[in-house]
Amino acid sequence: MVLLPWRKYGHSTPWLLMALLVMLFRPHAVAGWSVLVLGGSGFRGHMTTEILLRSGHQVTVLSRGRPYWAILDKLGKLGMTLWKCNRTIVYDGVAGLQPNTSGLAVCSNLTSSTNKFDAVVDFSSKNAEDLKQVLRLLHNRVGFYIFMSNHGVYSVSINATHDGPLLESDAVRPGREVSPLDRFELKGQNPRGNDFMECEEELMRQYNAGGVPFTVFRLANVFGPKENTLRYWLLHLWIRAHVALHLPMHLDELLLETPISMTYSPDIAQAVARVLAKGLGEACCSEHVEAQVFNLACEEAPNQRNLYNYIAEPQGLNYVETTEMPRNKSIILYPEIVRGPLNTAKALEVLRWTPTDLQKAARSVARFYDRVMLDESKHRWERDVMYSKLKRMLGEDGPNFVSWTRAHYAERRKKELYDELDDEDEDDIVLFRPSPEKRGRRKRRKGAKSSPEL
Ligand SMILES: *[C@@H]1O[C@H](CO)[C@@H](O)[C@H](O)[C@H]1NC(C)=O
Ligand SMILES: *[C@@H]1O[C@H](CO)[C@@H](O)[C@H](O)[C@H]1NC(C)=O
Ligand SMILES: *[C@@H]1O[C@H](CO)[C@@H](O)[C@H](O)[C@H]1NC(C)=O
Ligand SMILES: *[C@@H]1O[C@H](CO)[C@@H](O)[C@H](O)[C@H]1NC(C)=O
Ligand SMILES: *[C@@H]1O[C@H](CO)[C@@H](O)[C@H](O)[C@H]1NC(C)=O
């Protein structure tokens, strides 16, 4: 909150104050964009939805409406419109895919609406059929399309002809110089990457035929608060416990030096806002983003061991024990793609996009998950899912691990002061706002009365 020195200005102050407040908090809504975010309440998309809503835009989210992490409640309070629909296109063994009678074709909120959208931000199309279906249903009703692709596209591309990180222009299918069988095999290297590549190709094909202007973002390993895959959270806890339990972190012996590109979910939101400003004509220049692809990732691309160090450091652990394991025995949550890392110079230059420093992002995420562990009043279901996943992942060490973890946090809950995790705290943590203590906000506190920290 900005404190205005309003005494100084005498009687006219309330008006001045009002004018300033209106300028500061002017709801863009008057002139805001109307945006449809597909998958906008999930792990990768919810920060984008939130930031668009907070900037005063009208946001409709189309998702399955799962209640993970109470994201829907939070976005609902911010004014989101929810269209709850299942995008899965039915596959009939005889007749094939049924895009006319399943998936979004039977999403009544979408099919009954005649709304036009300034933009669609698509976090949920996973293959060209999904994408074609949504483009068909929204034909001529969308001003700009942003598609979230994935670094997997590089795994189905020819080898880069330069050293160093991957450029956007490196995602190229092999041509006729390669035999049909080899081309086919390359697609099989990464079926998911191939699907994303087909989505990018479809957008370009339609654009060249007069279709919707678009931008593609290629994301790397996405991390942030409120995962539904629970990858980062599991590593966070494993690192926390591994020394005490003699369970060293696994390193895939074939990937020891492989650099891992990471994409922080709030950074995606920032990039979306930058592209929409250009694409919708509020900032120069739409041609900079139309039919363009941008890699999005943090600048740092650590190998596995260093990634563990990044996760450990904010937990106050300055040493991580590791053990090298054969590929098929190791529990490795990152990397999912071994071609990489990503060069992000284009997004930096063209969009003036600034990815969060990996260390800073890791600190925020650590703070978030630690708070989720300490504050038992919320997210119980997510914790239970995480514990059962941990058990499955660690096999016979699972039960021991879970009881150690429960005991560890129970102990800290007694000794430490911590804030209950409310929505504002979450934002403070994730968006690096000043700590609540500094803002002097009224806080409900839990934990011991006498903490040395404060
Ligand atoms: C989504 O639809 C598919 C196909 O009809 C179905 O198999 C699946 O169970 C549905 N998922 C949910 C979460 O309803
Ligand atoms: C879906 O509908 C379109 C036109 O309405 C038609 O051309 C197409 O063949 C249909 N596809 C299937 C799989 O039924
Ligand atoms: C979406 O559709 C459901 C059922 O068809 C309806 O109850 C709901 O009001 C619709 N939501 C919106 C935002 O239009
Ligand atoms: C890329 O290089 C690797 C080894 O350097 C080789 O095995 C692979 O066949 C190459 N792939 C393509 C598509 O050229
Ligand atoms: C794991 O890989 C090794 C060789 O790399 C092989 O001998 C072994 O059978 C594999 N184990 C499993 C469970 O696949």
Side-chain angles (χ1 to χ4, degrees):
M1 193 53 214
V2 183
L3 290 177
L4 296 168
W6 67 335
R7 292 261 159 80
K8 271 199 222 156
Y9 298 100
H11 293 305
S12 59
T13 320
W15 293 108
L16 180 64
L17 180 65
M18 285 283 283
L20 279 167
L21 285 177
V22 167
M23 275 169 57
L24 281 171
F25 298 106
R26 174 173 46 120
H28 261 95
V30 195
W33 307 317
S34 160
V35 185
L36 173 65
V37 187
L38 305 173
S41 61
F43 159 53
R44 296 179 315 145
H46 75 274
M47 289 304 306
T48 297
T49 304
E50 179 173 343
I51 284 170
L52 289 172
L53 285 166
R54 286 192 188 282
S55 313
H57 304 297
Q58 288 167 284
V59 184
T60 303
V61 165
L62 189 156
S63 75
R64 278 172 302 183
R66 296 242 180 103
Y68 297 131
W69 295 108
I71 289 170
L72 291 175
D73 292 346
K74 183 176 186 186
L75 297 178
K77 281 184 208 150
L78 292 169
M80 163 196 69
T81 301
L82 178 64
W83 287 354
K84 196 168 160 175
C85 289
N86 176 350
R87 292 201 61 182
T88 308
I89 298 175
V90 168
Y91 182 80
D92 178 304
V94 179
L97 283 168
Q98 300 296 305
N100 292 346
T101 52
S102 64
L104 291 185
V106 294
C107 169
S108 64
N109 291 135
L110 177 66
T111 54
S112 66
S113 144
T114 52
N115 290 5
K116 293 199 170 182
F117 294 101
D118 294 310
V120 171
V121 185
D122 184 353
F123 285 93
S124 66
S125 291
K126 294 284 180 282
N127 55 55
E129 291 307 321
D130 290 349
L131 182 72
K132 278 189 223 166
Q133 186 183 52
V134 70
L135 289 172
R136 178 166 56 80
L137 292 168
L138 289 170
H139 185 63
N140 281 342
R141 284 161 57 197
V142 179
F144 201 91
Y145 205 94
I146 296 183
F147 176 68
M148 298 299 157
S149 185
N150 179 277
H151 57 163
V153 299
Y154 296 110
S155 304
V156 295
S157 297
I158 55 175
N159 288 327
T161 52
H162 59 87
D163 290 334
L166 291 163
L167 297 164
E168 287 81 357
S169 53
D170 291 329
V172 176
R173 302 268 199 194
R176 305 228 170 263
E177 73 283 1
V178 173
S179 76
L181 181 64
D182 286 348
R183 290 208 295 269
F184 181 77
E185 272 183 0
L186 185 60
K187 291 183 183 180
Q189 295 283 309
N190 190 319
R192 227 179 119 225
N194 187 58
D195 284 344
F196 280 115
M197 188 81 143
E198 287 180 358
C199 288
E200 295 187 14
E201 289 162 346
E202 179 63 22
L203 280 164
M204 188 54 105
R205 197 185 61 70
Q206 296 205 12
Y207 175 76
N208 286 333
V212 65
F214 71 94
T215 292
V216 165
F217 287 131
R218 293 197 188 122
L219 312 178
N221 300 285
V222 180
F223 74 112
K226 305 187 185 177
E227 293 170 303
N228 43 16
T229 50
L230 310 187
R231 285 198 290 180
Y232 200 96
W233 193 9
L234 292 174
L235 285 180
H236 176 91
L237 294 177
W238 186 0
I239 285 173
R240 169 77 74 197
H242 79 287
V243 174
L245 295 177
H246 308 293
L247 290 174
M249 308 302 296
H250 292 184
L251 299 173
D252 180 335
E253 63 187 10
L254 297 179
L255 299 178
L256 290 178
E257 292 314 318
T258 301
I260 306 175
S261 270
M262 304 291 290
T263 306
Y264 186 46
S265 58
D267 289 342
I268 304 173
Q270 185 205 138
V272 166
R274 298 288 161 113
V275 161
L276 289 184
K278 283 181 177 289
L280 298 175
E282 278 188 20
C284 163
C285 306
S286 65
E287 65 270 23
H288 291 168
V289 296
E290 250 187 64
Q292 293 295 316
V293 180
F294 297 93
N295 289 334
L296 298 183
C298 293
E299 303 238 18
E300 306 81 355
N303 60 22
Q304 287 178 57
R305 192 190 301 269
N306 285 333
L307 178 64
Y308 295 149
N309 289 333
Y310 273 105
I311 300 172
E313 189 256 11
Q315 305 192 58
L317 309 167
N318 43 28
Y319 173 68
V320 177
E321 273 176 34
T322 53
T323 176
E324 295 177 17
M325 309 271 279
R327 160 72 54 87
N328 57 10
K329 291 221 179 103
S330 54
I331 302 172
I332 299 293
L333 299 170
Y334 300 101
E336 58 192 20
I337 300 289
V338 297
R339 277 223 210 156
L342 301 184
N343 181 324
T344 54
K346 186 175 171 188
L348 265 62
E349 194 182 309
V350 176
L351 304 178
R352 306 249 168 256
W353 174 77
T354 46
T356 306
D357 180 74
L358 181 56
Q359 190 178 32
K360 209 165 155 187
R363 280 191 198 143
S364 287
V365 182
R367 231 178 117 199
F368 175 81
Y369 287 120
D370 249 9
R371 203 82 84 78
V372 169
M373 297 303 294
L374 284 169
D375 179 359
E376 288 188 302
S377 66
K378 281 182 114 183
H379 306 313
R380 186 199 171 113
W381 185 83
E382 287 78 4
R383 269 191 306 278
D384 287 347
V385 171
M386 182 273 302
Y387 279 131
S388 60
K389 224 174 152 164
L390 255 177
K391 275 189 191 154
R392 249 178 296 143
M393 198 174 84
L394 293 177
E396 60 190 17
D397 295 316
N400 198 14
F401 190 110
V402 168
S403 47
W404 186 92
T405 303
R406 285 189 195 278
H408 170 82
Y409 284 99
E411 192 59 27
R412 284 177 57 189
R413 218 171 280 130
K414 279 190 236 151
K415 286 201 299 223
E416 285 177 29
L417 268 182
Y418 60 93
D419 299 326
E420 277 186 11
L421 193 65
D422 60 23
D423 287 354
E424 271 184 71
D425 282 323
E426 281 178 22
D427 294 340
D428 293 340
I429 291 173
V430 177
L431 303 174
F432 315 113
R433 291 201 304 225
S435 73
E437 287 79 11
K438 283 184 197 139
R439 295 206 320 254
R441 200 153 57 76
R442 177 183 56 85
K443 291 299 305 174
R444 295 158 299 146
R445 294 204 168 274
K446 288 250 178 151
K449 300 282 181 296
S450 58
S451 162
E453 284 98 318
L454 288 172

